[in-house]
Amino acid sequence: MCTYKRQHLRQTLDSIALLVIPQGVSIEVLVVDNDELQSAKAIIDAVRRDFPYPLNYYSEPVKNIAAARNKLLEAANGDWIASIDDDEVADPLWLAALTATADHYSADVVFGHVIADFPDNTPAWIKEGNYFSRKTHKTGTEVSSGGSGCTLINRLFLEKHQLKFDLSYGTTGGEDVQLFYRMFRLGAKLVFCKEAIVHESVERNRLTLSYLKKRAVRIGQTYARYRLEQATVQQKFLFAVKNLILLCCISIVSLFSYPLNKQLFLKCYLKALDKYGKVASVLNGKKVELYK
């Protein structure tokens, strides 16, 4: 594990240690290490001595993000699973906000508010373009899917329907949005909570146009994959035609905006790549891998 990863894992654990725990709630912390060398084990062993809650370590050597998340589901015993990634730092009231929202809205999944934090000397165009921010909603807004890095999940719902993360998404990403969309289709209530805040550190190697382009195509492909899993041939055809038309329209706007507004051009360009990814997924099923 590189110094960057070690530093942020410690910061994640430190933020969990400082959480305000709601009355009547008890927690245990599970860490799943997706490194065959078990590079996080020494960190967990060192932190465990002074950690305020039970802290358990699990290794998942298979290089597959979905397999790592499934290891968490297998190890968890509580009624609820609060999920946070190792590059995120939780606000002290993060868990309290998630649980209060789940209780108030009778939700099965609550998605929190992820705020991107950038390293020093981040290019100005990256910050100005806001490319790493996630869509937010008013607290209580119902949604049909979302990411797992800042999320409260009803484990009993997963157990009842025997749901796990799909291993076929393990190198492309999207295993989380696909699982939550399956929950939604099974009748789960998914809501957003703007007060449940984590800060996510953006890795420096992602602050490039090449990464943003690759991510845009991958997001489009992933969306089409999980949304069309149960679609008919006609529905897939109409989806592809709709997004092909949008691709053409956005590309035209992108070309005209280039000499006038570089930020608008880039936003339109990335949206066009998203539409391209959707169309490509329907036509050839090619996958863009982001994780190795």
Side-chain angles (χ1 to χ4, degrees), residues 199-263:
H199 289 263
E200 179 182 58
S201 297
V202 180
E203 295 184 42
R204 189 174 296 279
N205 61 7
R206 297 185 176 187
L207 305 177
T208 64
L209 179 57
S210 61
Y211 175 83
L212 291 175
K213 290 163 56 179
K214 189 174 183 179
R215 188 185 70 161
V217 175
R218 192 272 296 177
I219 290 174
Q221 290 179 333
T222 300
Y223 181 92
R225 280 181 67 193
Y226 81 84
R227 290 280 174 162
L228 299 177
E229 282 181 340
Q230 300 182 28
T232 64
V233 173
Q234 182 182 19
Q235 289 171 329
K236 291 180 180 179
F237 173 76
L238 292 175
F239 178 89
V241 170
K242 173 187 174 182
N243 281 280
L244 183 59
I245 294 172
L246 289 172
L247 169 60
C248 294
C249 294
I250 295 171
S251 297
I252 293 172
V253 174
S254 178
L255 288 174
F256 278 101
S257 67
Y258 181 77
L260 303 174
N261 188 319
K262 295 299 192 297
Q263 284 290 351

Side-chain angles (χ1 to χ4, degrees), residues 155-225:
R155 189 187 66 83
L156 301 181
F157 188 98
L158 296 176
E159 185 178 80
K160 175 182 177 181
H161 296 279
Q162 299 183 325
L163 294 174
K164 289 187 176 182
F165 293 96
D166 190 330
L167 297 178
S168 69
Y169 287 77
T171 57
T172 63
E175 77 295 333
D176 46 3
V177 291
Q178 192 259 6
L179 173 65
F180 295 129
Y181 187 61
R182 281 190 286 158
M183 293 181 68
F184 171 76
R185 289 178 64 89
L186 288 168
K189 185 176 183 181
L190 287 59
V191 303
F192 185 80
C193 176
K194 198 166 186 178
E195 293 76 29
I197 297 171
V198 301
H199 289 263
E200 179 182 58
S201 297
V202 180
E203 295 184 42
R204 189 174 296 279
N205 61 7
R206 297 185 176 187
L207 305 177
T208 64
L209 179 57
S210 61
Y211 175 83
L212 291 175
K213 290 163 56 179
K214 189 174 183 179
R215 188 185 70 161
V217 175
R218 192 272 296 177
I219 290 174
Q221 290 179 333
T222 300
Y223 181 92
R225 280 181 67 193

